[in-house]
Amino acid sequence: MPLIPEEPQIHESVPGPRATPAAGRTAPTPRPVPGPGPRPAPPRGAPASSVRPGKPGPAAPPRGPVAAPPAQRTNSPQPPAGEPGTAAGTQLQLIPAPADGAVDAADEAVDLLLDSGRAPGEILVLTTGETHPWAAHELSFGEASYWAQHNAADDVFYADATAERATGRPVVVVAVNGGSDEVTAKALPAAMARAGALLVVCGDPQRINDVLGANA
């Protein structure tokens, strides 16, 4: 299941709002777009905009007006539905990023998905290397509390790619931020199987394609 940066869903020329360049980045983070299918209305009384779960650090400033995501390109062929190793109808996007910038790229992708209308409970973020800071913080209170938040499915959830208890959601974002080639080779097909509408992979395209090609 090779990932091709020239997929029609990739928008390498559009920087995301509030983006902070990660170490080693040489280009703005591409902007993901919402996946196909209807989106559920937010719960009654929920604020118009959402933020990621409260990871350590000061609260994020209020969101300003955000432009609608750009239309997808149509001058490149779509990956065929039902391709081996992919879920039928699931869109695939690749956001190029170095390993030490993959988590930042994933966080920016989550912000953009929320801004474009995705409900927080529709998004699962997985890391192949070091645990995401939010997950590490929540795990410090115990696994029971951590997984209770996963089961509630009312907010963005962050987990290790090897966590078998993490169930599928409409949108899965994978940060290839390290880990062995074996972990990466298993994580990406598993993430695709979990993604109901959209899979966003943040990482080094060359390494990702090399790993997948070696394990094809």
Side-chain angles (χ1 to χ4, degrees):
M1 186 187 65
L3 304 183
I4 305 172
E6 291 77 20
E7 291 288 349
Q9 296 83 10
I10 301 167
H11 306 282
E12 300 189 13
S13 62
V14 183
R18 302 176 303 284
T20 301
R25 281 199 205 167
T26 59
T29 300
R31 178 175 192 139
V33 296
R39 304 186 193 104
R44 181 173 299 175
S49 60
S50 304
V51 296
R52 293 194 304 276
K55 64 180 181 180
R63 298 179 186 277
V66 178
Q72 297 183 24
R73 299 173 189 167
T74 57
N75 58 350
S76 299
Q78 294 277 357
E83 179 182 349
T86 65
T90 300
Q91 292 184 1
L92 175 64
Q93 295 184 15
L94 174 61
I95 297 180
D100 59 0
V103 169
D104 287 340
D107 285 345
E108 291 164 12
V110 170
D111 280 338
L112 291 165
L113 288 161
L114 294 173
D115 287 340
S116 61
R118 280 287 175 186
E122 293 183 318
I123 303 172
L124 171 67
V125 180
L126 303 173
T127 53
T128 63
E130 186 177 351
T131 300
H132 190 282
W134 181 88
H137 175 71
E138 294 302 318
L139 281 168
S140 69
F141 298 105
E143 289 205 7
S145 172
Y146 172 74
W147 287 109
Q149 295 181 67
H150 168 270
N151 296 337
D154 56 6
D155 216 335
V156 182
F157 190 78
Y158 299 78
D160 289 340
T162 56
E164 296 182 358
R165 291 178 64 177
T167 57
R169 292 196 178 186
V171 180
V172 177
V173 180
V174 181
V176 184
N177 62 328
S180 67
D181 288 351
E182 181 180 2
V183 168
T184 301
K186 291 180 179 179
L188 296 179
M192 175 62 81
R194 288 179 170 125
L198 175 65
L199 173 65
V200 180
V201 181
C202 306
D204 177 6
Q206 184 63 52
R207 178 173 183 251
I208 292 169
N209 284 323
D210 287 348
V211 168
L212 293 178
N215 290 272

